[in-house]
Amino acid sequence: MNQPLHNHTDIAILGMGTALPVHEVAQSDIAELIASSLEDQQDLARFAKRVFRSCGVETRYTVEPSYLGSLEECRYLPSGDHSQIPSTQERMDTYKREALPLGMEAAQKAMKDAGMSPEQITHIITVSCTGQYLPGLDVMLVRDLGLSPRVNRLPLIFQGCAAGLKAIQMARDVVQGMPDAQVLVVCVELCTLHFQPVKERGALFAASFFGDGASACIVGAPESKQQHYLDLGTGYSVLLPDSTEDMTWEVGNQGYDLYLSPRIPKLLGEHLENELYQLLGSDSLPELWAIHPGGRGIVDSVQEVMNLRAEQTMYSREILRTVGNLSSNTILFVLHAMREDMKARNQSSTEGVAMAFGPGLTAELMKFTYVPSYTPALKEKDHVLL
């Protein structure tokens, strides 16, 4: 039996915040840097320039200023002697130094957006797959944000790009069991710390679109004063068949080693439609589509298989264009941009679906509704499609 498109939970993203490093890098400059590092492999250098031009990214941000200079100044992408490439330990030291300020900025923006003070936070979920240390980011955020030392800390580490949406769904489940809970989700990813000398074509795809950033949100029960929030509906995580080796993320001696199969868009095209209809339980598709832009091919695949209009994928494409793929952060960047646009256009309540993808292959899927102002006991008829 088909279920209604909307499944109202009265649990919502009440506030959001995003943060980017100070170093902005044009995609064309990074392409030239990588091409210069391949001066003895001209075919690969030409291929690199084509990949970087066609991946949908124009600008990225990084915590590492060495990407802004010449090839001689960039230890991450040397053309000759590889003995000075930063070790994994050195990269983790940089992560430890740079992750906290970005996470702080995003978290403070989210709390301000939600009109919430630090002492109201009951849980904190920290998300990252690009760095690890103990005591971790969760402890440092509790200390520097002035959260209660008794706040429930839930680190979600090394889960890849899907982890941001996973954390939002975890937060929703926490509030479902504890209606007074206020959950702070903070994602920090410093992907550019793991760039390595290119040895083959496959490595160029990952190097072509990842950037650094942080995002945060507050998940809780909306109150009468609440405006412009995202009501969280049902969702789930699913492993796609025969895809275990198509996305891998492993710890190496010179940073983390990422592999992305060119089959990923095709796999999503084959399996995602059935999963989305399983989630939505209806032949009526929502208006809003928050798609994790893991690359232009992924957005293209979702748009094609679900027969979406260009304006329905514009938020994902714009985030990819302006900041790149920020791993677990990216879905919150997309949702934030979507909400701001809906707010600016004075839109009525509108249904949506969010999705993110990670190693497994994992598809994280969730229904949501943009709500301009709080209405108790919101009914399905109050949510209209544009």
Side-chain angles (χ1 to χ4, degrees), residues 147-202:
L147 307 184
S148 167
R150 297 180 182 85
V151 71
N152 195 334
R153 295 177 285 116
L154 303 168
L156 184 60
I157 60 173
F158 219 62
Q159 295 292 304
C161 296
L165 189 53
K166 167 69 75 178
I168 292 170
Q169 301 212 69
M170 287 173 59
R172 178 203 59 209
D173 293 346
V174 167
V175 179
Q176 198 163 34
M178 300 178 61
D180 293 332
Q182 304 285 356
V183 185
L184 170 62
V185 175
V186 183
C187 307
V188 183
E189 302 289 8
L190 306 184
C191 305
T192 66
L193 294 184
H194 299 287
F195 282 11
Q196 301 176 27
V198 175
K199 301 174 184 176
E200 57 186 17
R201 289 191 172 198

Side-chain angles (χ1 to χ4, degrees), residues 326-344:
L326 305 177
S327 190
S328 67
N329 287 299
T330 324
I331 195 64
L332 269 169
F333 271 76
V334 173
L335 288 169
H336 182 267
M338 181 179 287
R339 187 202 64 173
E340 292 303 289
D341 184 52
M342 298 289 285
K343 180 179 176 180

Side-chain angles (χ1 to χ4, degrees), residues 248-300:
T248 61
W249 187 229
E250 299 177 341
V251 178
N253 292 328
Q254 296 174 335
Y256 296 171
D257 299 324
L258 174 64
Y259 170 71
L260 297 174
S261 165
R263 293 198 321 144
I264 292 173
K266 181 175 182 290
L267 287 166
L268 292 176
E270 290 175 355
H271 301 293
L272 194 58
E273 182 178 11
N274 287 340
E275 293 298 335
L276 283 167
Y277 279 113
Q278 176 74 20
L279 171 69
L280 299 172
S282 170
D283 292 332
S284 298
L285 296 181
E287 176 64 21
L288 299 176
W289 289 74
I291 304 164
H292 166 67
R296 194 181 75 174
I298 287 178
V299 182
D300 288 346

Side-chain angles (χ1 to χ4, degrees), residues 9 21 24 44 53 72 112 126 144 176 229 242 293 298 310 314 354 365 375 385:
T9 62
E24 179 180 344
L44 195 55
R53 281 196 303 267
E72 291 72 23
K112 181 179 180 181
T126 47
D144 291 359
Q176 198 163 34
Y229 62 90
D242 303 320
I298 287 178
M314 68 178 182
L365 310 171
T375 303
L385 300 178

